[in-house]
Amino acid sequence: MKGWLLCLIALAATACAQGLPAPSAQEGRRTAMLDEQLRARGVTDARVLAAMAAVPRERFVPEDIALRAYDDNALPIGQGQTISQPYVVAYMTEALGVLAHHRVLEIGTGSGYQAAILGELAREVYTIEIIPELAASAEFTLRQLGYAHVHVRTGDGYAGWPEQAPFDRVIVTAAPEQIPQPLIDQLAVGGRLVAPVGRQGEAQDITIVDRTPDGLVQRRTLQVWFVPFTRAR
């Protein structure tokens, strides 16, 4: 018991030194997020809920807004980018249907939060971020938290990661007007791709693409607002 108390005190001191709330305070916010934002809106996949409970979202936002990490909305992470609303992360992850043996490609690493959630669920995660500063920061945080099987690359996500293809699952966390063909080409038979698709300035649709032995099956579900899918110039 004494050792546990010392550990908790040390964690609280570290959080304080970094300008973060004490772990117990954030754990309470995380629990409320699970109950009030996810379960209340119909997220039921036990593995997804466990992943959302396990990942410290406050580590993936700027320190000055750490207290807002579990707010029911997207938050700025710098470079004109955002971390998605917790519900949208959970919704897209549940729609993706990740299994423990899967290899997953993510386009749009951002702060690394979605990659960490995927890292709780999949065997290997490959994530691409076009903004070097975000890629470096995300990789640092993911390494600190022990996600050695989450691989970060700086580059144009349009081309995917062909040398690691095919992928069982592909998720896009920025909005293209059309799904890039290379990402569809890198999807394994039996695989699934989830992406927000639509024009900027308008609501986009979460689009789910399944590759079957007979071809592609596509459907649209939730309306969302994502930052644009950008290309290298």
Side-chain angles (χ1 to χ4, degrees):
M1 178 66 74
K2 184 177 179 181
W4 181 85
L5 287 172
L6 289 173
C7 181
L8 184 59
I9 291 169
L11 286 171
T14 300
C16 183
Q18 295 177 344
L20 300 173
S24 58
Q26 290 291 39
E27 288 168 8
R29 293 182 179 91
R30 200 178 310 155
T31 298
M33 176 265 290
L34 290 167
D35 292 337
E36 298 168 12
Q37 299 179 39
L38 307 189
R39 292 188 179 96
R41 289 183 176 131
V43 177
T44 60
D45 188 301
R47 295 183 69 239
V48 172
L49 291 169
M52 298 289 290
V55 176
R57 184 174 166 90
E58 64 273 16
R59 296 290 297 275
F60 295 92
V61 301
E63 290 182 8
D64 62 343
I65 59 170
L67 282 171
R68 297 173 55 200
Y70 297 97
D71 285 3
D72 188 19
N73 49 257
L75 294 171
I77 57 171
Q79 306 295 325
Q81 304 301 299
T82 60
I83 180 174
S84 295
Q85 176 187 13
Y87 171 67
V88 173
V89 174
Y91 179 91
M92 291 181 70
T93 305
E94 186 171 59
L96 200 62
V98 180
L99 300 179
H101 66 277
H102 281 165
R103 299 170 70 255
V104 182
L105 173 65
E106 179 195 26
I107 306 301
T109 313
S111 69
Y113 180 67
Q114 175 72 80
I117 297 295
L118 296 170
E120 292 286 328
L121 300 170
R123 177 165 64 92
E124 298 285 340
V125 178
Y126 298 84
T127 180
I128 304 173
E129 171 57 50
I130 197 168
I131 301 173
E133 294 84 354
L134 289 180
S137 176
E139 184 168 26
F140 178 77
T141 303
L142 290 163
R143 293 295 167 267
Q144 278 195 320
L145 293 174
Y147 293 103
H149 62 302
V150 177
H151 313 283
V152 182
R153 167 182 281 185
T154 303
D156 187 342
Y158 186 93
W161 202 318
E163 63 269 35
Q164 293 295 340
F167 297 97
D168 302 294
R169 298 291 187 266
V170 176
I171 185 169
V172 183
T173 59
E177 293 192 7
Q178 295 182 332
I179 298 172
Q181 188 62 42
L183 302 185
I184 293 175
D185 293 342
Q186 291 171 35
L187 189 62
V189 175
R192 173 173 291 178
L193 180 151
V194 176
V197 179
R199 296 179 180 178
Q200 286 303 303
E202 301 177 4
Q204 301 120 14
D205 296 317
I206 295 295
T207 302
I208 300 171
V209 179
D210 290 305
R211 180 180 288 283
T212 74
D214 299 320
L216 301 174
V217 177
Q218 180 172 308
R219 55 196 170 94
R220 296 184 175 187
T221 60
L222 185 72
Q223 282 199 330
V224 291
W225 294 84
F226 271 77
V227 296
F229 188 110
T230 56
R231 298 289 315 277
R233 295 185 180 182

